[in-house]
Amino acid sequence: MVGTSAVIESMSSAVNGKEVADVRFDPTAVVPELVPAVVKSEVDATVNGGDEEQKREIVLGRNIHTSSFSVTEPDADDDSTGDKEAYMASVLARYRKTLTDRTKYHLGYPYNLDFDYGALTQLQHFSINNLGDPFIESNYGVHSRQFEVGVLDWFARLWDIEKDEYWGYITNCGTEGNLHGILVGREVFPEGILYASKESHYSIFKAARMYRMECEKVGTLLTGEIDCADFKVKLLANKDKPAIINVNIGTTVKGAVDDLDLVIKTLEDCGFSHDRFYIHCDGALFGLMMPFVKRAPQVTFKKPIGSVSVSGHKFVGCPMPCGVQLTRLEHINALSSNVEYLASRDATIMGSRNGHAPLFLWYTLNRKGYKGFQKEVQKCLRNAHYLKDRLIGAGISAMLNELSSTVVFERPKDEEFVRKWQLACERNMAHVVVMPSVTVDKLDNFLDELVEARSIWYKDEDVKPPCLASDIGSKSCCCPQHRMMIS
């Protein structure tokens, strides 16, 4: 028998009528360049006849490629020298130091960084995947469904729905919970119109685009809460179509809580019976805090709502993005289908789902319990009021909604200051989200730096702090004009 290499070496054939050159194959040959060369950045375009270089425009933040860690191929002798392992260890050590440093100055985003999951380290060696329906075990045996369902049952009790009346799953992030909630509403009412306040999370409007839904943006009050007067006008203009409503349990920027009871009453006053509307409650952060706030309106399935979602990496403090989405069992059949390949049912947005996230959530819920979360909520609200009072005392515009731990204040003039403290900004506003990991000492350090920086930014009388009257109301604005009016 002629060897394969010999056949290839002598092979010559015609393909599509064209002669193919001999292909000579040497199995011992080494390709001289296994890795493509690093792509060099294009020469900067020039303007004004080449006198001035135009640098690449940076939009909404820093270009991550200016600080990336490259992936390189190991050298031939790396196994014996260990140089590659040493290099990677040094990179990771420096990265850990960076994370430790950045955590000290984290204020603008709603993440609880106070946690310790050392007990779960023993499970990080397993590829845990909860693909498919949490309540139907698939053929893939390395899963954590028993933990996932335990977490879902905990939230079902929190939101007053019986085990045999709900369906839900642990999502990969808060956005996925919103995408799922709005999708359930769309499947229940295919011709329904989506209503959401203009201060809703961007994922709500992403859902409208993805699902090709007609969407009505509803105005808001100065607090950021949905304006039910405007909501009524838009409902009456579309009385012939069912309504799918997103209700915010804490808006992104101002932490405003929509009045769920007033939303329901507005629907009823406009002639919408309970079988002609679907309400999704986006409780990303405050959905887990509201049940522990005295006199706060309750989010409960005893009211005519269709679904609720919260994030697991925010108030709970899970180290990876995740969330919880609950809906009524009667609705889920509208979008689910059986998948033989999985031996399970497809009713989730994603196929594969992080099986480690349920373990972290289960562990935290067991350690803290309802009483533990109540203490943390009280601490957050107390510290938020402390921050607001100190800002106003320093002559800085500030606002805090009654049911919120998000303190809105004037946007710092220096973007380096914004980046250092990782503040979230919109127009003339910035905010601090007071989480369990935010201590009074950290708030004091932030305030001291802010006051000192403002004395430099505004030492020139011609440079004045921004006016926030249109954003948070004249009573909360401390700009020179409104300070004079108040005094």
Side-chain angles (χ1 to χ4, degrees), residues 4-12 20-29:
T4 303
S5 60
V7 172
I8 294 177
E9 189 172 358
S10 62
M11 182 174 62
S12 178
V20 177
D22 286 353
V23 179
R24 302 189 180 278
F25 174 70
D26 181 0
T28 64

Tab-separated table of all heavy atoms in Angstrom, residues 4-12 20-29:
chain	number	residue	atom	x	y	z
A	4	THR	N	0.283	7.497	2.829
A	4	THR	CA	-0.501	8.720	2.619
A	4	THR	C	0.361	9.874	2.155
A	4	THR	O	-0.001	10.617	1.252
A	4	THR	CB	-1.209	9.108	3.917
A	4	THR	OG1	-2.021	8.034	4.349
A	4	THR	CG2	-2.095	10.343	3.709
A	5	SER	N	1.541	10.030	2.774
A	5	SER	CA	2.410	11.147	2.416
A	5	SER	C	2.855	11.048	0.964
A	5	SER	O	2.974	12.048	0.265
A	5	SER	CB	3.615	11.208	3.343
A	5	SER	OG	4.360	9.998	3.254
A	6	ALA	N	3.074	9.788	0.510
A	6	ALA	CA	3.490	9.601	-0.879
A	6	ALA	C	2.375	9.981	-1.833
A	6	ALA	O	2.596	10.573	-2.884
A	6	ALA	CB	3.907	8.145	-1.099
A	7	VAL	N	1.142	9.599	-1.442
A	7	VAL	CA	0.003	9.935	-2.293
A	7	VAL	C	-0.149	11.445	-2.417
A	7	VAL	O	-0.340	12.000	-3.496
A	7	VAL	CB	-1.298	9.327	-1.714
A	7	VAL	CG1	-2.505	9.828	-2.485
A	7	VAL	CG2	-1.234	7.804	-1.772
A	8	ILE	N	-0.047	12.128	-1.260
A	8	ILE	CA	-0.194	13.580	-1.266
A	8	ILE	C	0.928	14.224	-2.061
A	8	ILE	O	0.727	15.168	-2.815
A	8	ILE	CB	-0.191	14.119	0.171
A	8	ILE	CG1	-1.427	13.614	0.904
A	8	ILE	CG2	-0.150	15.645	0.198
A	8	ILE	CD1	-1.488	14.028	2.352
A	9	GLU	N	2.149	13.665	-1.898
A	9	GLU	CA	3.304	14.258	-2.565
A	9	GLU	C	3.158	14.194	-4.070
A	9	GLU	O	3.569	15.105	-4.795
A	9	GLU	CB	4.567	13.532	-2.098
A	9	GLU	CG	5.840	14.205	-2.564
A	9	GLU	CD	7.049	13.573	-1.928
A	9	GLU	OE1	6.877	12.647	-1.115
A	9	GLU	OE2	8.165	14.009	-2.246
A	10	SER	N	2.573	13.076	-4.597
A	10	SER	CA	2.494	12.906	-6.033
A	10	SER	C	1.145	13.317	-6.594
A	10	SER	O	0.895	13.168	-7.775
A	10	SER	CB	2.756	11.432	-6.377
A	10	SER	OG	1.748	10.628	-5.772
A	11	MET	N	0.261	13.833	-5.705
A	11	MET	CA	-1.099	14.102	-6.114
A	11	MET	C	-1.152	15.286	-7.068
A	11	MET	O	-0.555	16.307	-6.847
A	11	MET	CB	-1.975	14.392	-4.895
A	11	MET	CG	-3.438	14.630	-5.231
A	11	MET	SD	-4.427	14.802	-3.716
A	11	MET	CE	-3.678	16.252	-3.021
A	12	SER	N	-1.876	15.115	-8.117
A	12	SER	CA	-2.155	16.196	-9.044
A	12	SER	C	-3.509	15.910	-9.648
A	12	SER	O	-3.760	14.835	-10.155
A	12	SER	CB	-1.091	16.260	-10.150
A	12	SER	OG	-1.408	17.298	-11.057
A	20	VAL	N	-4.555	21.537	-10.527
A	20	VAL	CA	-4.141	21.879	-9.183
A	20	VAL	C	-2.674	21.542	-9.023
A	20	VAL	O	-2.248	20.435	-9.362
A	20	VAL	CB	-4.971	21.114	-8.135
A	20	VAL	CG1	-4.471	21.442	-6.734
A	20	VAL	CG2	-6.438	21.462	-8.276
A	21	ALA	N	-1.896	22.474	-8.543
A	21	ALA	CA	-0.465	22.246	-8.394
A	21	ALA	C	-0.207	21.133	-7.393
A	21	ALA	O	-1.014	20.869	-6.512
A	21	ALA	CB	0.218	23.536	-7.941
A	22	ASP	N	0.935	20.487	-7.523
A	22	ASP	CA	1.314	19.432	-6.583
A	22	ASP	C	1.337	19.969	-5.162
A	22	ASP	O	1.832	21.061	-4.903
A	22	ASP	CB	2.714	18.901	-6.922
A	22	ASP	CG	2.679	18.023	-8.160
A	22	ASP	OD1	1.558	17.744	-8.629
A	22	ASP	OD2	3.765	17.663	-8.643
A	23	VAL	N	0.779	19.173	-4.272
A	23	VAL	CA	0.793	19.531	-2.853
A	23	VAL	C	1.824	18.649	-2.163
A	23	VAL	O	1.646	17.443	-2.103
A	23	VAL	CB	-0.590	19.331	-2.221
A	23	VAL	CG1	-0.523	19.701	-0.744
A	23	VAL	CG2	-1.631	20.151	-2.943
A	24	ARG	N	2.871	19.234	-1.697
A	24	ARG	CA	3.915	18.454	-1.042
A	24	ARG	C	3.792	18.651	0.467
A	24	ARG	O	3.868	19.762	0.949
A	24	ARG	CB	5.303	18.873	-1.541
A	24	ARG	CG	5.407	18.707	-3.056
A	24	ARG	CD	6.818	18.894	-3.561
A	24	ARG	NE	6.850	18.721	-4.997
A	24	ARG	CZ	6.900	17.542	-5.603
A	24	ARG	NH1	6.929	16.436	-4.880
A	24	ARG	NH2	6.926	17.466	-6.918
A	25	PHE	N	3.570	17.563	1.161
A	25	PHE	CA	3.291	17.626	2.598
A	25	PHE	C	4.391	16.938	3.372
A	25	PHE	O	4.680	15.759	3.136
A	25	PHE	CB	1.944	16.946	2.884
A	25	PHE	CG	1.620	16.838	4.352
A	25	PHE	CD1	1.321	17.967	5.085
A	25	PHE	CD2	1.604	15.602	4.994
A	25	PHE	CE1	1.009	17.882	6.425
A	25	PHE	CE2	1.310	15.512	6.332
A	25	PHE	CZ	1.000	16.644	7.056
A	26	ASP	N	5.001	17.675	4.258
A	26	ASP	CA	6.043	17.119	5.113
A	26	ASP	C	5.555	17.164	6.552
A	26	ASP	O	5.490	18.225	7.160
A	26	ASP	CB	7.336	17.932	4.976
A	26	ASP	CG	8.464	17.351	5.849
A	26	ASP	OD1	8.213	16.336	6.527
A	26	ASP	OD2	9.565	17.937	5.850
A	27	PRO	N	5.165	15.999	7.135
A	27	PRO	CA	4.611	15.996	8.488
A	27	PRO	C	5.601	16.455	9.552
A	27	PRO	O	5.218	16.775	10.668
A	27	PRO	CB	4.200	14.535	8.699
A	27	PRO	CG	5.037	13.754	7.744
A	27	PRO	CD	5.244	14.639	6.558
A	28	THR	N	6.875	16.501	9.244
A	28	THR	CA	7.865	16.914	10.245
A	28	THR	C	8.172	18.409	10.163
A	28	THR	O	8.912	18.924	10.997
A	28	THR	CB	9.170	16.126	10.055
A	28	THR	OG1	9.726	16.463	8.774
A	28	THR	CG2	8.918	14.629	10.128
A	29	ALA	N	7.618	19.045	9.150
A	29	ALA	CA	7.925	20.466	8.986
A	29	ALA	C	7.293	21.284	10.105
A	29	ALA	O	6.230	20.945	10.619
A	29	ALA	CB	7.414	20.955	7.631
